[in-house]
Amino acid sequence: MRSRILVLAAVAAALLASGCSASDPATTTSATPAASETNPYGAAAIDPLGPDEPVLSLEGGSAGTVVLTLAELEALGTQTVTLYEPFVKKQQTFTGVPLSALFDRAGIASDQDVDTIALNDYEYSANAGDLEASDALLATQRDGAPIAYDQGGPIRLVYPDGTSLAGNLDAWNWSLARISVSAG
């Protein structure tokens, strides 16, 4: 208890010496920028998945529910594309699995409607064929490195420049967790 009091007294003395008071947060400064200043996605860092943890589930296709780890996902075949990332407003290179390969694995037909659902329950619904026609890529790496959770990872849906969904920001689903065939 005595050490806590000493620590509190030292903090109070430091605040007074710097001209700041604990009741006036507007006058305090921080050496660490806010998350929104350093991270355009606005989240705090989260530990990455372990190698055997599932990263994505595909539901409602003819193959039933398919659950994939990151290694199983990438084993479907990857490609790399450089595109304009609209949220950070610069060119970035993404490597990932073409969404068409995932649909083939899960037995999702191009005439079916699907919901792409993120870890935070953000949902984007579209026709599977429209996603395929936009060369949708389920990105697992950005600029040669895994995509951290706080950067919209570990997997995210991106679209190459010039495709019909490249300019539809709603379709860029971050931290994707599940793709389900729509019930209706």
Side-chain angles (χ1 to χ4, degrees), residues 34-130:
S36 61
E37 293 174 31
T38 60
N39 183 351
Y41 306 100
I46 299 173
D47 291 336
L49 287 173
D52 297 326
E53 292 183 76
V55 68
L56 179 69
S57 68
L58 303 150
E59 303 166 351
S62 63
T65 298
V66 175
V67 178
L68 301 169
T69 65
L70 191 59
E72 292 168 333
L73 176 65
E74 289 177 332
L76 296 175
T78 62
Q79 67 183 41
T80 300
V81 63
T82 299
L83 53 85
Y84 180 77
E85 208 282 23
F87 298 97
V88 295
K89 297 177 180 22
K90 67 180 182 178
Q91 292 290 118
Q92 293 188 314
T93 301
F94 288 93
T95 300
V97 178
L99 200 55
S100 58
L102 285 164
F103 289 165
D104 289 346
R105 171 68 177 85
I108 297 174
S110 61
D111 64 346
Q112 292 182 291
D113 291 328
V114 295
D115 300 318
T116 63
I117 305 157
L119 290 170
N120 67 354
D121 293 326
Y122 173 80
E123 187 172 318
Y124 178 75
S125 300
N127 176 268
D130 292 342

Side-chain angles (χ1 to χ4, degrees), residues 77-83 93-100 102 131 134-141 155-160 173 176:
T78 62
Q79 67 183 41
T80 300
V81 63
T82 299
L83 53 85
T93 301
F94 288 93
T95 300
V97 178
L99 200 55
S100 58
L102 285 164
L131 294 170
S134 278
D135 296 326
L137 185 72
L138 191 61
T140 59
Q141 295 182 26
I155 57 176
R156 55 188 299 200
L157 208 47
V158 300
Y159 302 90
N173 204 332
L176 194 63

Side-chain angles (χ1 to χ4, degrees), residues 136-152:
L137 185 72
L138 191 61
T140 59
Q141 295 182 26
R142 183 186 56 224
D143 294 332
I147 306 169
Y149 278 105
D150 67 333
Q151 298 292 310

